[in-house]
Amino acid sequence: MVHDQELISITSANARVAAAFRRFSQAACLAALLFPATLSAEGVDSHAYRLAPGDRITVTVFGQPELSGDVLIDDAGAITIPLTDPIEVKDVTLLECQKRIVDRLADGILRKPSVSVRIAELRPISVLGDVRLPGAYPFRYGSTIQSAVALAGGFGPGELLRNTAVSEFLLAEERVSQLTLQKRTLLVRKARLEAQRDGQDTFSPPAFSDADDDKDTIKIVANERDIFATRGAILRDQIDLLRSEKPHLQEQIEANTKQGDAGKKQLDLIQQQIERYEKLFKQGLGTQNNDFQYRVLEANQEASVWRLLSDISRLQMQSGELDFKIQEVEAAFKRQVATELQETRDRLNELEVTLPAAIRIRDVKLQYAGGAAAQGSRHLISITRARSGHPVVLDASETTPVEPGDVINVQSEMPHVLQHDEAAAGPLTLQSYKMQETQSGETLSPISR
């Protein structure tokens, strides 16, 4: 009797299991019809696919609805089922995961648990880099890099990045304009200083390709011409003023020379008179007082002659000093010109380094602002994929199949930098960039179309 009751109990239990299995199969079929994502998850090879964090699985414990449901595999690679401790299922197949759950439930929780495990939702793929909507997206079987990028809005920088790129381009363009203006100013100044150094009456500024209609360049040339004329006039006025004093000095020298000659003649006459008076004095015909007066007159005349000679010497020295001052003014002017010329050359040498670099940066930022990832541009694509629990980076193309959990990184190849004449580099607008791209045979970005 006991044996018959056990047999009836087992048969009844098996009937309940079969009924539950039928209900589960019907629910699974209905879910597959209503939800394509579930259908794609059902296609997972339970013998080959290995679970990983991010996968969502459906655990069904027959006859135990409170222990059944969808479970997300956490970052540690484990799942938690009611009444159990966390069960590690990372890097195991569905069948192995099912067995681990059975073993855990059979360990003092259920007598003979019957468990089914299937994929509810595969771990998402992530699309990063030069796409318009980077982020995580659901995995679909048959997906490729191209379809994943399509989910992310297609190739190209995001809206915030585009706005930032335009702002950075404008700043880079302003810096190039400033450096270009500085270089043109220094080149014109260098030509002006070299002309002043060589004593030329005029100077010719260097030619620029757009100097005819560039207002800034016209102002620079006009300003340097004014400086050239003003400094030349100041130098000539100083020299003319010094030279104008020489005729006056020469006149004074000539006048003093004539006075000195006349004084010498008077001195000779006085000395002759003294000699005659000495003879008379020796003969007793003169007085000592008169002889003394003649001696005083001689001394005064000699002093007057010597004063005139001293004045002549002083005036001659002043005339020589004028020549020295003229040479000194010219030398000081040339030293100032030489110093400014050296400073100008040093600054030009610095610009020979900074301006080309600024132009290259400006061009790159323009291409990013105009859509560096435009049609025809080349993209460098890599996939970070888990292999045996370790991330591996793989090169990929647009047709490469995608696997669950892949992290797709899209980077635009560094754009080709257009060549420019830095000496005459002006503002690079979108229109001028379009013309240069057309001449170089490259594909135009959407913003320049």
Side-chain angles (χ1 to χ4, degrees), residues 50 123 129 150 159 258 293 341 442:
R50 295 189 176 275
R123 56 187 180 275
E159 186 65 26
K258 290 179 180 179
Q293 290 179 353
L341 182 58
E442 296 179 355

Side-chain angles (χ1 to χ4, degrees), residues 169-182 354-355 358:
F169 162 71
L170 294 177
L171 293 175
E173 169 66 10
E174 181 181 2
R175 174 166 173 76
V176 170
S177 298
Q178 292 175 349
L179 294 177
T180 300
L181 191 62
Q182 289 180 18
T354 57
L355 180 56

